Amino acid sequence: MSLRPQLIRLAKQIKRHARQPVLWGLVTWLSLLLAAANHFLIGFHDLWSYGFLGMGMVGLMLLGWTIGSSGNAGAFGDLLRQAIDVLPEARLILARDGTTVYANPGFQRLMPHAPGKAEISGILDLLDGPDAVAEFKRLRANAAVGVGDHAEVAIKLSDGTREWRRLSVVPLRKPRGFSLWLVRDISARREMEQAQRKEFRQTFDFVDNLPVGFFSSDQNGRFRFVNQTLADWLGVSPEMARATGMGLSDFVLEMNDGAEGVMSLRGADGKSFDVFVRQTELYDIHGRFVHNRCIVLRDGIEQGEITPRRVQTAPHKATLGYDPRVRWLFKEAPIGIAVLDLDLKVNDCNRAFLKMLGRHQEAIVGRALFDQIKAENHEDASRQLGKVAMGAIAAVRFDVQMATSRGRVLTVSVFAGHMEDETGQISGLVLHFIDATEQRDLELQFTQAQKMQAIGQLAGGVAHDFNNVLTALTGFCEILLERHPKGDPDHQELQQIYQSGNRATDLVRQLLAFSRKQTLRPKIVDISEVISDLSSMLNRSLGETVQLRIEHGRDLKQIRVDTGQLEQVVVNLAVNAGHAMNGEGEVIIRTANADVLEPIEQAHDTMPPGRYVSVEVSDTGCGIPPENLTKIFEPFFTTKDVDKGTGLGLSTVYGIVRQTDGYIFVDSVINKGTTFSIYFPAVEDDAVPKKIEKKQPDLFDHADLTGTATILLVEDEDPVRLFGARALSAKGYNVLEASSGDMAWEIVQKQGDKINLIITDVVMPGMKGPDMVELVRARLPDIKVIFMSGYAEDVIPEGIENDPTIHFLPKPFKLKDLAFKVKDVLGDV
C-alpha cells in the first residue's frame, strides 16, 4: 500500500495548522519512524521495497515544503533534510530534464563525481565498460516513460579500483517526469559470487576431465549430464548427448551376464569397447527420485578386455579398491576426501584433506573423525551422518568447524554419501571437505559491514547535531562565566553547566570515534614515550591494590597516530583491566616490534602481513566469556549494571584503532585473564603527515587574543553563529555574519576587499562551505579560510585540504580555541 496519499493529506493538515508546535512534533517523529521502518523492517530487496521507501522519502520532502510555504521552514525543514541525509543508501531525485532536485551525502560517497559536475553525468563518467553504459541508458529510457527498473553496473574509481553498484530507478507520479534513483554498494556480494563461480568452475572442470566416465540420468535413463571423458569415448559432444534425449542404453552393444555391471558399448564411430558401470540412485528427503549417478570405468582398451576391481569390504570397514587410476583420482583430488567406517573412524583420506588440516596421515587415519571437529558441532554432525549411515537419505551437506595443526579454525562444508558392499548393504561413508572459511568470512564481513555502516551513519549524524548544540551551550556558558567570576552567586551554577557540557562533549567524541568520523591529528611518535607519560595517571586510576607493570621492547619503530587518541585507547583498556580484577591483581602493558609474516584473522578482521608495533594490555582478572568475545566491540554492549556503563568504551577503542589503520585482537581465558593486542603500522622513514597542526604554546592562557581584522562568519545554526560573532566581537574583531553560502557570496561581492578571514561551516543547506570558498577564491585568491564542522576533517574536499591558507576547527570548540585559531591564522600569535 502506498504511503504517498496519506502523507499528502497529512501535509495539507499541517499547512492548515502550521502554528501548532505539538502537531509539528508529532508529524516529525511520524515521518522519521516511517523512514526508519522502510530501512530496518523492509530492507531494500526489490523494486516494491524501493518504491515504498521512495514514497516515504518524497512524503518527508512534501511535508517540509508544505510547512515551508506557510513561513515555517526553519529548523523543521532542516531536521527533515537531515533525517534523509543520514540514511546510508545513496539517493538522487531527478527532474524531467535530467537536472538534480536532491542528492544526499551518500550519493557523493558511492558515486564520487567531479566537483561542480551534474550528478547524472558524474555517473556516466564512472561507468566501466560499454555494458555498464548500455544498462544505464536503459534505466534512463525506462524512467522517461514511467517504468521502474534496476541494473548492476561496474564503476571505476579515481584510484583505478573497480567496484559494483546496484542502480534502481523509481518514477514518481507527482510531479510527473521526476524519478528517484537509489544506489547500493554490492562490491562485496559480487566478489563473493565470483569466488563461488570460480570454485564451481574448478569442481566442474575436475569432474569433466576425470580419467573415468561419469554421467547422471533421469528415471527413464536419459542423460542429464555427461562428462567430457565419457562423451569422447562415445564419440558425441556432451551437449548433443543431453539435447537429443540419448541414454547409455543407446550405446549398449552387449551385457556381460557373468559380471554385474560389465557391458560392451559401441560409440558413434562404430567401434566397441568394454566398460564397468556402477550406478547409484539418489532420492530426496521425501523419498522422491532425483536422478541416477553412474561411474563408467574403461580398462584394457588396447587388449579389448575389461578387468574391473570390485570393492573389497569387511564388517564395518570401507576402503577404495578400484583400479590404480581410481586410486590416483582419490589421492590427487583437489578437495579433501575421507573414507569412514560405520563407527565414524577414518579408514583413509587423501592429500588435500591432510593439507587442509596441516596434519600427517597417522594423526588422522584410524582415529575418530570427531577428533578433528570442534565439540560444538559434534551433535549436528552425528545426526547428519547417522541419516546417511542408516540409509534414510543418500547424501547430505552440512558445515562444521575444524582446527588446523597451527590452531587456525576453518569453516568446512562437508558433503557425505554412503558406500555399499556387494550385497547392497551400506558399508561405510565417503566425505568430501571444501574449505569455506574465506566465503563465510566474506559473508560475515558483508553482514557486519552493513550493520556497522547503518549504526555509524546514525552515530555520526547525531554527533554532528550535538556538536552544534554543545558549541553554543559551552560557548555562551564561557561568556557568562567571564561576566560572573569566582565569588559571584551565579558562578557555581554556571560552572556546573559548563562541566556537564564538557562531559557531553566527551560522549559525542566517543560516538564519533566509534563511527570513525572523528578528526585526527596524526603525527610520528615513539609509543614508549607516550605510555611512559601516562604511567602516573594510570597508577592513580588503578588504585593502590592494583600493580601496574610496563615492559618496553627494544629499538621500537615509530608509528603515526593521534597522541590524544592513543592515550585514550591505553587508558580505557587499562581501566577496564582494573575493573575486571575487582581492584586486586596486576595490569601489564607491553610494547614490541612485530613482523607479521602471515595474515592474522579474528572475528571480522584480517590483518595483512607487514611490519607493526604492538601494544599489549593484559590483566589477571575474571576473563571474558566466549559468547561475549564477538560482541565486545559492538556499540552499547556492556555487562555492567544499568547506569554503570554506556557500552561505548571498547567500541571507541576499536574505532580509534581502525581509523588509524591499526588492528586490535583479544584473547581471554575464564578466571585467568584477558589480553588486548593492538598493532599499529610501523613507520619506516622520516615522512611526516601531510598536514600538521601547530602546537599551541604554553602561554595559550596568557596570550593576547585581541585583534582588529574583518571576519566573515558563515554558519547556518543561529546559536553557533551568534556565539561566534559575540566572542570575536568581544576580542575587537569586526564580524560580518551570514546564515548561508549564498548570503556569504553576496557579502563578498559587496565588501570583499575589506574581509581578512572567512570562518565557515562545512555542511550547510544549499551552497556548502567548500563550494562557497571555491567561488570566493576566484575573486579573492589569497583570502584565508577556517573551516569548522561537527563532522571529521575528511568532509573537506581533497582538492583544497592541502592548501596552507585553509585551516580546520572541529566542533565543539571553546571561546579561547576560536580566538586563538583566528589569531594564529591571521599571523598575529
Side-chain angles (χ1 to χ4, degrees):
M1 179 179 178
S2 174
L3 292 176
R4 187 172 172 275
Q6 291 91 322
L7 288 171
I8 292 178
R9 285 199 297 271
L10 190 57
K12 291 178 179 178
Q13 293 176 12
I14 295 172
K15 191 173 183 180
R16 290 197 300 270
H17 304 284
R19 297 175 181 268
Q20 299 183 18
V22 175
L23 182 58
W24 277 26
L26 290 175
V27 172
T28 300
W29 287 109
L30 175 61
S31 303
L32 293 173
L33 287 173
L34 288 173
N38 276 293
H39 176 60
F40 292 105
L41 299 182
I42 299 178
F44 305 120
H45 305 300
D46 51 35
L47 282 176
W48 175 253
S49 299
Y50 277 116
F52 191 72
L53 173 66
M55 294 307 178
M57 189 174 72
V58 172
L60 287 172
M61 297 183 70
L62 286 172
L63 287 174
W65 173 83
T66 303
I67 296 172
S69 66
S70 66
N72 296 289
F76 188 81
D78 291 343
L79 180 59
L80 292 180
R81 175 180 290 275
Q82 292 174 25
I84 301 171
D85 283 351
V86 298
L87 294 177
E89 283 74 14
R91 291 166 174 77
L92 173 69
I93 296 180
L94 297 180
R96 60 174 58 89
D97 60 356
T99 58
T100 300
V101 176
Y102 167 77
N104 73 337
F107 186 85
Q108 174 64 26
R109 179 174 55 81
L110 293 184
M111 306 296 290
H113 54 279
K117 194 158 190 177
E119 283 79 1
I120 200 68
S121 59
I123 295 179
L124 272 170
D125 293 341
L126 290 171
L127 295 177
D128 188 13
D131 292 340
V133 174
E135 287 288 274
F136 175 71
K137 290 182 177 179
R138 177 176 61 81
L139 292 182
R140 290 199 67 178
N142 286 340
V145 296
V147 177
D149 204 349
H150 68 273
E152 295 184 356
V153 299
I155 66 170
K156 196 166 186 178
L157 302 179
S158 58
D159 60 0
T161 57
R162 193 170 189 254
E163 294 187 354
W164 285 85
R165 301 287 186 264
R166 177 185 172 96
L167 306 179
S168 300
V169 59
V170 181
L172 304 179
R173 294 183 179 178
K174 290 183 181 180
R176 184 172 296 279
F178 284 56
S179 58
L180 169 65
W181 292 69
L182 301 107
V183 185
R184 293 181 65 196
D185 185 353
I186 58 170
S187 302
R189 176 174 65 79
R190 293 288 296 214
E191 289 179 7
M192 185 169 60
E193 291 175 350
Q194 184 178 3
Q196 289 176 331
R197 285 195 297 269
K198 181 180 179 181
E199 182 179 314
F200 290 150
R201 282 197 301 270
Q202 290 175 340
T203 304
F204 181 82
D205 291 343
F206 171 69
V207 174
D208 210 31
N209 295 284
L210 289 173
V212 298
F214 177 81
F215 73 91
S216 63
S217 60
D218 59 21
Q219 206 159 10
N220 296 318
R222 293 188 294 267
F223 288 136
R224 294 179 61 179
F225 170 78
V226 178
N227 75 337
Q228 188 63 50
T229 301
L230 181 58
D232 292 342
W233 291 349
L234 299 178
V236 296
S237 67
E239 295 77 13
M240 180 185 296
R242 294 193 300 268
T244 57
M246 292 180 176
L248 189 66
S249 59
D250 295 323
F251 299 91
V252 174
L253 180 64
E254 181 181 359
M255 302 290 292
N256 189 329
D257 297 331
E260 181 182 358
V262 177
M263 61 185 70
S264 296
L265 302 181
R266 175 180 290 168
D269 57 2
K271 295 181 180 179
S272 61
F273 53 93
D274 292 335
V275 296
F276 172 74
V277 179
R278 182 65 181 267
Q279 174 178 308
T280 302
E281 293 183 348
L282 181 64
Y283 294 86
D284 62 19
I285 59 175
H286 302 293
R288 294 188 294 263
F289 176 86
V290 179
H291 60 77
N292 290 314
R293 295 182 301 184
C294 303
I295 294 177
V296 181
L297 302 178
R298 181 180 180 184
D299 195 13
I301 188 170
E302 290 80 6
Q303 291 78 22
E305 59 183 2
I306 180 74
T307 57
R309 298 185 180 184
R310 298 300 184 89
V311 176
Q312 303 296 326
T313 62
H316 303 297
K317 296 290 182 180
T319 58
L320 290 177
Y322 290 119
D323 66 24
R325 289 181 298 175
V326 178
R327 187 67 186 172
W328 172 87
L329 172 65
F330 168 75
K331 284 294 185 184
E332 302 301 326
I335 59 176
I337 305 175
V339 181
L340 311 184
D341 61 19
L342 293 180
D343 292 328
L344 302 185
K345 288 185 178 180
V346 180
N347 280 352
D348 200 359
C349 63
N350 69 345
R351 291 174 181 164
F353 185 67
L354 297 174
K355 184 178 180 181
M356 180 188 300
L357 298 181
R359 303 184 188 277
H360 296 290
Q361 188 169 10
E362 53 269 21
I364 302 290
V365 176
R367 298 176 180 270
L369 174 69
F370 284 177
D371 290 349
Q372 314 303 328
I373 296 176
K374 302 288 283 185
E376 53 265 31
N377 299 132
H378 284 184
E379 183 178 352
D380 180 60
S382 179
R383 183 171 60 252
Q384 301 292 354
L385 294 176
K387 294 178 184 178
V388 179
M390 292 185 294
I393 53 177
V396 71
R397 175 196 174 279
F398 57 93
D399 290 341
V400 297
Q401 288 188 314
M402 307 180 75
T404 69
S405 60
R406 296 187 176 183
R408 184 186 177 201
V409 178
L410 305 178
T411 298
V412 180
S413 291
V414 182
F415 299 81
H418 60 251
M419 297 180 64
E420 298 177 356
D421 59 19
E422 301 214 0
T423 65
Q425 297 297 314
I426 296 175
S427 57
L429 304 176
V430 178
L431 275 58
H432 295 74
F433 299 84
I434 297 178
D435 185 357
T437 306
E438 183 176 355
Q439 177 182 335
R440 180 60 56 87
D441 287 346
L442 279 174
E443 292 174 351
L444 292 175
Q445 288 174 14
F446 181 65
T447 303
Q448 181 76 359
Q450 283 189 315
K451 180 176 70 174
M452 300 305 272
Q453 181 190 31
I455 299 176
Q457 289 282 352
L458 177 62
V462 169
H464 168 258
D465 290 337
F466 268 107
N467 276 333
N468 279 327
V469 173
L470 292 170
T471 299
L473 175 67
T474 57
F476 282 117
C477 195
E478 280 188 288
I479 293 176
L480 289 174
L481 282 171
E482 289 185 351
R483 297 178 184 173
H484 300 271
K486 288 183 179 181
D488 189 286
D490 297 327
H491 179 82
Q492 187 173 356
E493 286 79 3
L494 290 171
Q495 189 66 34
Q496 289 295 328
I497 296 173
Y498 184 68
Q499 290 176 357
S500 297
N502 288 336
R503 289 178 59 191
T505 300
D506 292 337
L507 183 60
V508 172
R509 188 177 295 113
Q510 287 182 312
L511 285 172
L512 286 172
F514 154 69
S515 61
R516 304 183 207 173
K517 294 180 181 293
Q518 62 184 340
T519 299
L520 298 182
R521 295 288 182 266
K523 62 180 180 179
I524 296 176
V525 300
D526 185 331
I527 197 168
S528 298
E529 294 180 1
V530 176
I531 295 177
S532 296
D533 292 342
L534 287 175
S535 59
S536 298
M537 185 184 69
L538 290 176
N539 277 313
R540 290 194 302 271
S541 301
L542 293 173
E544 297 180 357
T545 58
V546 175
Q547 295 182 352
L548 173 65
R549 178 153 51 99
I550 299 177
E551 300 177 357
H552 291 304
R554 294 183 177 180
D555 302 323
L556 289 180
K557 297 281 187 181
Q558 291 185 316
I559 59 175
R560 181 182 285 108
V561 294
D562 182 307
T563 305
Q565 299 299 330
L566 175 59
E567 291 174 347
Q568 183 179 349
V569 167
V570 175
V571 170
N572 198 310
L573 292 178
V575 171
N576 277 358
H579 291 165
M581 298 182 295
N582 293 322
E584 292 185 2
E586 184 178 36
V587 175
I588 305 171
I589 301 177
R590 297 186 181 91
T591 60
N593 291 322
D595 290 336
V596 178
L597 303 180
E598 295 183 358
I600 298 178
E601 300 178 6
Q602 189 177 93
H604 309 296
D605 285 334
T606 301
M607 182 173 69
R611 290 187 173 181
Y612 298 87
V613 176
S614 68
V615 183
E616 290 186 356
V617 180
S618 303
D619 63 63
T620 56
C622 59
I624 302 173
E627 62 270 18
N628 291 341
L629 281 175
T630 59
K631 304 175 184 177
I632 58 174
F633 294 125
E634 293 187 2
F636 312 114
F637 174 80
T638 179
T639 57
K640 297 180 180 179
D641 295 336
V642 178
D643 298 332
K644 291 189 177 180
T646 63
L648 284 173
L650 287 178
S651 66
T652 300
V653 169
Y654 180 85
I656 293 173
V657 171
R658 293 299 291 122
Q659 192 177 1
T660 315
D661 297 326
Y663 297 86
I664 181 169
F665 303 108
V666 57
D667 293 306
S668 185
V669 179
I670 296 296
N671 297 325
K672 290 190 176 181
T674 301
T675 298
F676 285 89
S677 302
I678 306 172
Y679 294 85
F680 293 108
V683 176
E684 299 295 339
D685 50 33
D686 296 331
V688 296
K690 293 185 297 183
K691 189 174 182 181
I692 301 178
E693 290 291 314
K694 290 183 180 179
K695 185 177 180 180
Q696 296 178 357
D698 296 334
L699 298 176
F700 176 83
D701 292 332
H702 307 288
D704 179 12
L705 301 181
T706 60
T708 58
T710 298
I711 300 172
L712 174 58
L713 178 62
V714 190
E715 170 61 65
D716 62 302
E717 290 284 342
D718 294 340
V720 178
R721 188 178 67 255
L722 182 59
F723 155 63
R726 287 190 179 181
L728 293 174
S729 297
K731 298 298 181 182
Y733 294 103
N734 178 31
V735 182
L736 307 176
E737 299 182 45
S739 60
S740 67
D742 295 321
M743 184 180 296
W745 174 236
E746 293 178 2
I747 294 175
V748 169
Q749 288 178 308
K750 295 177 182 178
Q751 306 182 54
D753 296 337
K754 301 178 181 178
I755 299 174
N756 305 108
L757 172 68
I758 296 177
I759 304 175
T760 177
D761 193 14
V762 177
V763 180
M764 297 183 293
M767 185 186 297
K768 294 179 174 57
D771 297 332
M772 182 268 294
V773 168
E774 287 190 6
L775 193 61
V776 172
R777 281 295 176 87
R779 181 185 180 99
L780 304 171
D782 299 324
I783 191 72
K784 296 180 178 180
V785 178
I786 298 176
F787 281 117
M788 54 183 180
S789 177
Y791 289 115
E793 189 171 359
D794 58 15
V795 298
I796 303 176
E798 185 176 357
I800 62 175
E801 70 172 347
N802 296 322
D803 191 326
T805 63
I806 291 180
H807 304 265
F808 186 78
L809 180 64
K811 297 177 183 177
F813 49 79
K814 296 180 173 62
L815 188 153
K816 290 183 179 179
D817 294 332
L818 175 62
F820 183 87
K821 191 72 174 180
V822 170
K823 192 83 170 179
D824 184 22
V825 171
L826 290 174
D828 296 331
V829 175

